[in-house]
Amino acid sequence: MANRSHLYAANTLPTGESRPATVAGISEHNWSIPLAHLLLVSFDTRVVPSMIWDQRIGVAGDYDRGAALLLDLLRVVGEEVEDEQDFVSVVATTKAQLDKQRAKYFLLEAGEILDMDEEPLETATDRLVAEHIPALAAHAEAAIAGENAEWLAIARGRWREHFYSFYNDTLYYSFETD
């Protein structure tokens, strides 16, 4: 089994007792948490109970603002990307899935990835939310504003790693309505 980062959408947040009534699949990515997933949860970011693990290691963020940031970054990355036709296809797939599954929140489940390190899961999640996600969002916003060419060049050069994920309604963990 590949360790994956899972991204969902919902109109409510999970609680310790239950998950949202409707949880829509957005994307999953093998062996890492891609930049796209991190940017999508980068506004009003908070730690929430996981829908997969019995711990408080889920990450939630504002859907509309996260989607807008990612799409703005993809526009800028696409201005000089190699393999433009493939990139355009990836952006179209990403945009279609984001439009289709629109909700109030993104819900990131990254426990499988975070569990590959020695750090306790809750500590790793707290660090992800407090340090890593805000730093990446700041880099992306600066790149969009034309103020971070070096970071943009790296993102552009590694676009498949950062933005090419499996976008689908049905992910490895899918949640059916009871």
mmCIF file of all heavy atoms in Angstrom, residues 36-56:
data_model
loop_
_atom_site.group_PDB
_atom_site.id
_atom_site.type_symbol
_atom_site.label_atom_id
_atom_site.label_comp_id
_atom_site.label_asym_id
_atom_site.label_seq_id
_atom_site.Cartn_x
_atom_site.Cartn_y
_atom_site.Cartn_z
ATOM 1 N N ALA A 36 0.106 21.474 -3.824
ATOM 2 C CA ALA A 36 -1.299 21.797 -4.101
ATOM 3 C C ALA A 36 -2.181 21.538 -2.881
ATOM 4 O O ALA A 36 -3.003 22.382 -2.510
ATOM 5 C CB ALA A 36 -1.809 20.998 -5.298
ATOM 6 N N HIS A 37 -2.030 20.387 -2.236
ATOM 7 C CA HIS A 37 -2.854 20.082 -1.059
ATOM 8 C C HIS A 37 -2.602 21.086 0.062
ATOM 9 O O HIS A 37 -3.534 21.522 0.735
ATOM 10 C CB HIS A 37 -2.564 18.672 -0.551
ATOM 11 C CG HIS A 37 -3.136 17.586 -1.391
ATOM 12 N ND1 HIS A 37 -3.089 16.273 -1.006
ATOM 13 C CD2 HIS A 37 -3.758 17.601 -2.598
ATOM 14 C CE1 HIS A 37 -3.662 15.522 -1.940
ATOM 15 N NE2 HIS A 37 -4.074 16.314 -2.918
ATOM 16 N N LEU A 38 -1.347 21.450 0.259
ATOM 17 C CA LEU A 38 -1.006 22.377 1.337
ATOM 18 C C LEU A 38 -1.558 23.774 1.078
ATOM 19 O O LEU A 38 -2.059 24.435 1.987
ATOM 20 C CB LEU A 38 0.508 22.406 1.534
ATOM 21 C CG LEU A 38 1.097 21.065 1.988
ATOM 22 C CD1 LEU A 38 2.613 21.090 1.906
ATOM 23 C CD2 LEU A 38 0.623 20.707 3.391
ATOM 24 N N LEU A 39 -1.495 24.218 -0.169
ATOM 25 C CA LEU A 39 -2.044 25.541 -0.493
ATOM 26 C C LEU A 39 -3.567 25.555 -0.388
ATOM 27 O O LEU A 39 -4.153 26.567 0.000
ATOM 28 C CB LEU A 39 -1.605 25.969 -1.891
ATOM 29 C CG LEU A 39 -0.112 26.240 -2.057
ATOM 30 C CD1 LEU A 39 0.194 26.628 -3.492
ATOM 31 C CD2 LEU A 39 0.384 27.283 -1.074
ATOM 32 N N LEU A 40 -4.197 24.455 -0.728
ATOM 33 C CA LEU A 40 -5.654 24.416 -0.673
ATOM 34 C C LEU A 40 -6.191 24.561 0.750
ATOM 35 O O LEU A 40 -7.309 25.043 0.940
ATOM 36 C CB LEU A 40 -6.182 23.144 -1.338
ATOM 37 C CG LEU A 40 -6.041 23.136 -2.865
ATOM 38 C CD1 LEU A 40 -6.342 21.753 -3.435
ATOM 39 C CD2 LEU A 40 -6.936 24.191 -3.511
ATOM 40 N N VAL A 41 -5.406 24.180 1.759
ATOM 41 C CA VAL A 41 -5.857 24.334 3.155
ATOM 42 C C VAL A 41 -5.175 25.517 3.841
ATOM 43 O O VAL A 41 -5.153 25.607 5.064
ATOM 44 C CB VAL A 41 -5.635 23.040 3.989
ATOM 45 C CG1 VAL A 41 -6.484 21.905 3.456
ATOM 46 C CG2 VAL A 41 -4.168 22.670 4.063
ATOM 47 N N SER A 42 -4.652 26.463 3.074
ATOM 48 C CA SER A 42 -3.790 27.501 3.639
ATOM 49 C C SER A 42 -4.504 28.741 4.198
ATOM 50 O O SER A 42 -3.848 29.636 4.703
ATOM 51 C CB SER A 42 -2.750 27.934 2.608
ATOM 52 O OG SER A 42 -3.362 28.574 1.515
ATOM 53 N N PHE A 43 -5.814 28.805 4.139
ATOM 54 C CA PHE A 43 -6.549 29.942 4.710
ATOM 55 C C PHE A 43 -7.456 29.435 5.821
ATOM 56 O O PHE A 43 -8.134 28.425 5.667
ATOM 57 C CB PHE A 43 -7.375 30.659 3.642
ATOM 58 C CG PHE A 43 -6.526 31.432 2.676
ATOM 59 C CD1 PHE A 43 -6.136 30.864 1.473
ATOM 60 C CD2 PHE A 43 -6.088 32.710 2.981
ATOM 61 C CE1 PHE A 43 -5.337 31.568 0.581
ATOM 62 C CE2 PHE A 43 -5.288 33.422 2.103
ATOM 63 C CZ PHE A 43 -4.908 32.846 0.901
ATOM 64 N N ASP A 44 -7.484 30.172 6.917
ATOM 65 C CA ASP A 44 -8.248 29.757 8.103
ATOM 66 C C ASP A 44 -7.880 28.319 8.490
ATOM 67 O O ASP A 44 -8.738 27.512 8.855
ATOM 68 C CB ASP A 44 -9.751 29.900 7.873
ATOM 69 C CG ASP A 44 -10.166 31.331 7.601
ATOM 70 O OD1 ASP A 44 -9.525 32.244 8.165
ATOM 71 O OD2 ASP A 44 -11.111 31.547 6.824
ATOM 72 N N THR A 45 -6.604 28.027 8.395
ATOM 73 C CA THR A 45 -6.085 26.680 8.637
ATOM 74 C C THR A 45 -6.226 26.317 10.107
ATOM 75 O O THR A 45 -5.920 27.120 10.985
ATOM 76 C CB THR A 45 -4.604 26.606 8.223
ATOM 77 O OG1 THR A 45 -4.467 27.143 6.907
ATOM 78 C CG2 THR A 45 -4.104 25.180 8.247
ATOM 79 N N ARG A 46 -6.673 25.100 10.347
ATOM 80 C CA ARG A 46 -6.822 24.630 11.725
ATOM 81 C C ARG A 46 -6.691 23.112 11.785
ATOM 82 O O ARG A 46 -6.961 22.417 10.808
ATOM 83 C CB ARG A 46 -8.162 25.063 12.291
ATOM 84 C CG ARG A 46 -9.330 24.422 11.540
ATOM 85 C CD ARG A 46 -10.623 25.068 11.875
ATOM 86 N NE ARG A 46 -10.837 26.156 10.931
ATOM 87 C CZ ARG A 46 -11.948 26.837 10.848
ATOM 88 N NH1 ARG A 46 -12.948 26.583 11.637
ATOM 89 N NH2 ARG A 46 -12.082 27.788 9.966
ATOM 90 N N VAL A 47 -6.301 22.627 12.941
ATOM 91 C CA VAL A 47 -6.239 21.189 13.187
ATOM 92 C C VAL A 47 -7.634 20.741 13.618
ATOM 93 O O VAL A 47 -8.285 21.400 14.436
ATOM 94 C CB VAL A 47 -5.203 20.857 14.276
ATOM 95 C CG1 VAL A 47 -5.190 19.367 14.572
ATOM 96 C CG2 VAL A 47 -3.814 21.339 13.866
ATOM 97 N N VAL A 48 -8.091 19.620 13.050
ATOM 98 C CA VAL A 48 -9.403 19.059 13.367
ATOM 99 C C VAL A 48 -9.244 17.554 13.588
ATOM 100 O O VAL A 48 -8.225 16.972 13.205
ATOM 101 C CB VAL A 48 -10.425 19.329 12.234
ATOM 102 C CG1 VAL A 48 -10.676 20.822 12.052
ATOM 103 C CG2 VAL A 48 -9.989 18.687 10.929
ATOM 104 N N PRO A 49 -10.243 16.902 14.167
ATOM 105 C CA PRO A 49 -10.165 15.452 14.302
ATOM 106 C C PRO A 49 -10.070 14.794 12.920
ATOM 107 O O PRO A 49 -10.743 15.196 11.975
ATOM 108 C CB PRO A 49 -11.475 15.075 14.990
ATOM 109 C CG PRO A 49 -11.895 16.314 15.706
ATOM 110 C CD PRO A 49 -11.440 17.445 14.816
ATOM 111 N N SER A 50 -9.228 13.795 12.830
ATOM 112 C CA SER A 50 -9.104 13.053 11.581
ATOM 113 C C SER A 50 -10.359 12.222 11.333
ATOM 114 O O SER A 50 -10.981 11.723 12.271
ATOM 115 C CB SER A 50 -7.890 12.122 11.661
ATOM 116 O OG SER A 50 -7.844 11.251 10.558
ATOM 117 N N MET A 51 -10.696 12.064 10.077
ATOM 118 C CA MET A 51 -11.810 11.197 9.709
ATOM 119 C C MET A 51 -11.315 9.768 9.474
ATOM 120 O O MET A 51 -12.108 8.850 9.320
ATOM 121 C CB MET A 51 -12.492 11.717 8.444
ATOM 122 C CG MET A 51 -13.097 13.090 8.601
ATOM 123 S SD MET A 51 -13.905 13.708 7.098
ATOM 124 C CE MET A 51 -12.530 13.790 5.930
ATOM 125 N N ILE A 52 -9.998 9.576 9.445
ATOM 126 C CA ILE A 52 -9.386 8.270 9.163
ATOM 127 C C ILE A 52 -8.718 7.707 10.415
ATOM 128 O O ILE A 52 -8.868 6.542 10.741
ATOM 129 C CB ILE A 52 -8.359 8.400 8.022
ATOM 130 C CG1 ILE A 52 -9.060 8.842 6.724
ATOM 131 C CG2 ILE A 52 -7.615 7.080 7.818
ATOM 132 C CD1 ILE A 52 -8.116 9.204 5.592
ATOM 133 N N TRP A 53 -7.965 8.538 11.101
ATOM 134 C CA TRP A 53 -7.212 8.134 12.281
ATOM 135 C C TRP A 53 -7.990 8.541 13.533
ATOM 136 O O TRP A 53 -8.736 9.515 13.514
ATOM 137 C CB TRP A 53 -5.854 8.834 12.302
ATOM 138 C CG TRP A 53 -4.959 8.494 11.153
ATOM 139 C CD1 TRP A 53 -5.163 8.789 9.833
ATOM 140 C CD2 TRP A 53 -3.714 7.821 11.203
ATOM 141 N NE1 TRP A 53 -4.116 8.340 9.075
ATOM 142 C CE2 TRP A 53 -3.205 7.750 9.892
ATOM 143 C CE3 TRP A 53 -2.958 7.289 12.249
ATOM 144 C CZ2 TRP A 53 -1.993 7.149 9.589
ATOM 145 C CZ3 TRP A 53 -1.743 6.697 11.948
ATOM 146 C CH2 TRP A 53 -1.282 6.625 10.632
ATOM 147 N N ASP A 54 -7.767 7.855 14.605
ATOM 148 C CA ASP A 54 -8.426 8.189 15.868
ATOM 149 C C ASP A 54 -7.572 9.196 16.643
ATOM 150 O O ASP A 54 -7.170 8.948 17.780
ATOM 151 C CB ASP A 54 -8.656 6.917 16.688
ATOM 152 C CG ASP A 54 -9.545 7.151 17.891
ATOM 153 O OD1 ASP A 54 -10.311 8.133 17.887
ATOM 154 O OD2 ASP A 54 -9.450 6.367 18.849
ATOM 155 N N GLN A 55 -7.254 10.304 15.970
ATOM 156 C CA GLN A 55 -6.428 11.350 16.567
ATOM 157 C C GLN A 55 -6.840 12.698 15.979
ATOM 158 O O GLN A 55 -7.494 12.765 14.951
ATOM 159 C CB GLN A 55 -4.946 11.121 16.267
ATOM 160 C CG GLN A 55 -4.371 9.870 16.900
ATOM 161 C CD GLN A 55 -2.894 9.746 16.611
ATOM 162 O OE1 GLN A 55 -2.138 10.668 16.836
ATOM 163 N NE2 GLN A 55 -2.496 8.590 16.096
ATOM 164 N N ARG A 56 -6.379 13.730 16.598
ATOM 165 C CA ARG A 56 -6.643 15.099 16.121
ATOM 166 C C ARG A 56 -5.511 15.498 15.178
ATOM 167 O O ARG A 56 -4.640 16.289 15.526
ATOM 168 C CB ARG A 56 -6.743 16.026 17.328
ATOM 169 C CG ARG A 56 -7.352 17.337 17.037
ATOM 170 C CD ARG A 56 -7.666 18.083 18.334
ATOM 171 N NE ARG A 56 -8.028 19.438 18.032
ATOM 172 C CZ ARG A 56 -9.216 19.820 17.559
ATOM 173 N NH1 ARG A 56 -10.154 18.923 17.389
ATOM 174 N NH2 ARG A 56 -9.453 21.084 17.276
#
